Amino acid sequence: MSMLQRWSFSLTILFISCSSPLKPDIVFEDFEKADFANWKIQGETFHKPSHLDSVVENAKNVQGNLFAFSNFQGSGESLGQGKLVSDNFIIDRKYIRFLIAGGNHKTRECVNLIVKNKVVRTATGENDHTLREITWDVDDLQGENGIIEIVDALASNFEQNSLGQILVDNIVFSDFKNSQEIVFENFESGNYNNWKVEGDAFEIPRNRINVYYPITVNGFNGDYFAFSFGEAHDSKQGKLISKTFEINYDSIKFLIGGGGHENKTCINLVVKDSVVLSHVGQNDGEMRWHQWDVTPFKGQRASIEIVDHHSEGWGHIMVDDIIFFNNPESSGIWVFIGSALSLFFILYFLFKVFSSQKTINNNLEVSDEEIERFEKLKKSIETSKVYKDQNPNIKQIVQNTDISQEEINILFENAGNTTLPNFINYLRVEEFKRQLKDPSNKAYTMMFLAENSGFNSKTSFYRAFKTVTKMTPSEYKKSLSRNH
């Protein structure tokens, strides 16, 4: 890269950073690894993450299958008491978000942020087992070293007004105050336990195997989807009604197919007992994305209905992947103007520099030594297969390469024009493609192979795959079939 090209690249990066200063989210812990390897365990209550299907209590809003839960059963004064203490981390995002439920006690049933040996933020549950999102504003703590504690120090006979358990899930470091996307329902549980079922059209979520002839369904994700077509074909009618929720996001998107009969084969958003938004299929078996703008209803309680009230031709409905999400934040016209002015003055300064100098210092060029270290770094990450870990620890990469975390980030930025997370996702996509092509993996689902390649959610997998390949996983799989 020439000096002029490098200056141009640097200016582009500067302009982009001025216009879009928000950095991507970091999932600090989602407990899907099924252990507390990144935490110090104190006391008796935290043995390993709990599985949603293995707990007696009806925990709600769990993300994924596993979460931290102080549900140890024992005896004595220390019944169910303990603490999880995280590794140290540097606070480099504006917010820390997480889901919490359980007891409401600010010192004995809580999650704490510790900075300089002091509790600077704390949160508790609401004396139930419903996980709710908490957001800490930590912008004033940028650059500080932090520790997170998950505390259960409440004996059952100590305080009768607080539930003696704590539940925590999905700890995320973010520049966004609210989660940008959350999967409300994808039916991967294989049942309708989260829904009220009316009528007899909706028996169980369907997949490719248990869909009745002559219907062929395309476009769904994962293994299962809601479907009102059964052994009796279109004759049965019914409805699925979701649990109620507060609308805290900008939009709701979903996959829908099947009948195109308004008010009869549809998905509805219900607010204050009235249908405020509705959508139907297109009288075919193709599931397509549709999106609702729900900003007019923010802060209101709502539910979702999936309706089949039609028993003639195309008298069925199919739905998958109901997702709540926020629209990308706009940097605003004034930020754009300020960025443009900054760019103008920088360009003017560079013009003066290039006009007055006949020779240019080449120190900004990437040296051969840096390129060599970068290639060795990439090779080490690839051969160690650390990218197959769903939550890779950069400490492991530092240990394997003997390169500091700071230098790793600099090498990826300067020599690779990318970031470490982007490279990790690239390797995961390539690993998924290799596994998909392997005939011995024919019986496995795409999500199984994706998780086996390092992805920890369907959303992150689909987003990364499309970024790398410019096509969806389903489109890629179809292209393999055409080539053979």
Side-chain angles (χ1 to χ4, degrees), residues 295-324:
T295 53
F297 311 105
K298 271 194 171 183
Q300 299 187 49
R301 302 293 297 179
S303 63
I304 290 174
E305 297 177 341
I306 303 175
V307 179
D308 178 356
H309 286 164
H310 191 74
S311 296
E312 298 180 8
W314 289 103
H316 58 264
I317 190 73
M318 55 187 77
V319 173
D320 195 14
D321 277 10
I322 303 173
I323 296 172
F324 300 169

Side-chain angles (χ1 to χ4, degrees), residues 67-320:
F67 57 103
F69 188 18
S70 60
N71 64 338
F72 172 69
Q73 302 297 315
S75 60
E77 292 185 359
S78 62
L79 166 67
Q81 296 183 53
K83 182 190 291 187
L84 290 177
V85 183
S86 77
D87 290 339
N88 280 279
F89 57 88
I90 296 175
I91 300 174
D92 65 350
R93 296 293 192 274
K94 295 179 180 179
Y95 302 100
I96 297 177
R97 298 194 315 264
F98 54 92
L99 297 170
I100 185 172
N104 182 254
H105 198 292
K106 290 185 178 180
T107 58
R108 293 181 177 268
E109 294 291 348
C110 55
V111 174
N112 297 325
L113 175 63
I114 310 295
V115 174
K116 295 179 180 178
N117 209 30
K118 293 183 179 180
V119 176
V120 295
R121 303 286 189 276
T122 190
T124 68
E126 296 186 15
N127 284 334
D128 59 23
H129 294 96
T130 299
L131 287 150
R132 299 175 177 88
E133 187 170 79
I134 295 292
T135 301
W136 286 332
D137 186 336
V138 293
D139 200 24
D140 60 320
L141 300 172
Q142 294 292 299
E144 298 282 1
N145 284 297
I147 294 172
I148 290 176
E149 294 180 337
I150 301 175
V151 180
D152 180 353
L154 190 67
S156 59
N157 59 356
F158 179 83
E159 173 65 64
Q160 298 298 322
N161 296 322
S162 178
L163 188 66
Q165 295 170 327
I166 193 79
L167 299 79
V168 177
D169 196 10
N170 211 40
I171 303 172
V172 176
F173 301 162
S174 179
D175 277 339
F176 298 93
K177 189 173 182 179
N178 301 109
S179 302
Q180 293 304 289
E181 184 170 296
I182 185 171
V183 177
F184 179 72
E185 180 62 86
N186 58 13
F187 303 102
E188 293 305 297
S189 64
N191 58 56
Y192 292 131
N193 289 352
N194 292 328
W195 299 73
K196 178 183 177 182
V197 181
E198 294 184 352
D200 51 12
F202 295 94
E203 298 170 356
I204 57 172
R206 300 296 180 182
N207 58 24
R208 183 66 69 185
I209 296 173
N210 64 14
V211 169
Y212 287 95
Y213 176 83
I215 294 297
T216 298
V217 181
N218 294 306
F220 64 92
N221 291 322
D223 293 328
Y224 294 97
F225 54 95
F227 198 19
S228 63
F229 187 92
E231 188 174 6
H233 291 196
D234 286 335
S235 63
K236 294 182 178 181
Q237 298 185 20
K239 181 192 296 186
L240 295 177
I241 304 173
S242 79
K243 57 191 176 185
T244 60
F245 55 90
E246 183 175 327
I247 300 177
N248 293 320
Y249 290 81
D250 297 331
S251 301
I252 299 176
K253 63 181 178 180
F254 48 85
L255 286 165
I256 185 171
H261 311 286
E262 290 188 11
N263 304 318
K264 294 183 177 181
T265 55
C266 55
I267 180 172
N268 299 327
L269 180 68
V270 179
V271 177
K272 296 180 179 179
D273 297 325
S274 297
V275 175
V276 295
L277 293 168
S278 183
H279 197 70
V280 300
Q282 297 184 22
N283 288 336
D284 61 21
E286 189 70 29
M287 300 182 75
R288 301 174 179 87
W289 284 108
H290 184 74
Q291 177 177 324
W292 287 329
D293 177 3
V294 295
T295 53
F297 311 105
K298 271 194 171 183
Q300 299 187 49
R301 302 293 297 179
S303 63
I304 290 174
E305 297 177 341
I306 303 175
V307 179
D308 178 356
H309 286 164
H310 191 74
S311 296
E312 298 180 8
W314 289 103
H316 58 264
I317 190 73
M318 55 187 77
V319 173
D320 195 14

Side-chain angles (χ1 to χ4, degrees), residues 316-375:
H316 58 264
I317 190 73
M318 55 187 77
V319 173
D320 195 14
D321 277 10
I322 303 173
I323 296 172
F324 300 169
F325 69 100
N326 285 323
N327 300 324
E329 293 188 14
S330 172
S331 59
I333 185 64
W334 292 112
V335 174
F336 176 80
I337 292 173
S339 301
L341 288 173
S342 298
L343 182 62
F344 170 78
F345 285 116
I346 292 170
L347 286 172
Y348 178 77
F349 169 76
L350 290 177
F351 171 78
K352 299 293 288 184
V353 170
F354 280 107
S355 298
S356 61
Q357 289 182 278
K358 293 183 179 180
T359 60
I360 299 175
N361 190 331
N362 288 322
N363 288 338
L364 290 176
E365 296 284 355
V366 179
S367 67
D368 292 339
E369 181 183 357
E370 284 182 298
I371 294 175
E372 183 178 353
R373 285 176 66 79
F374 178 60
E375 293 300 324

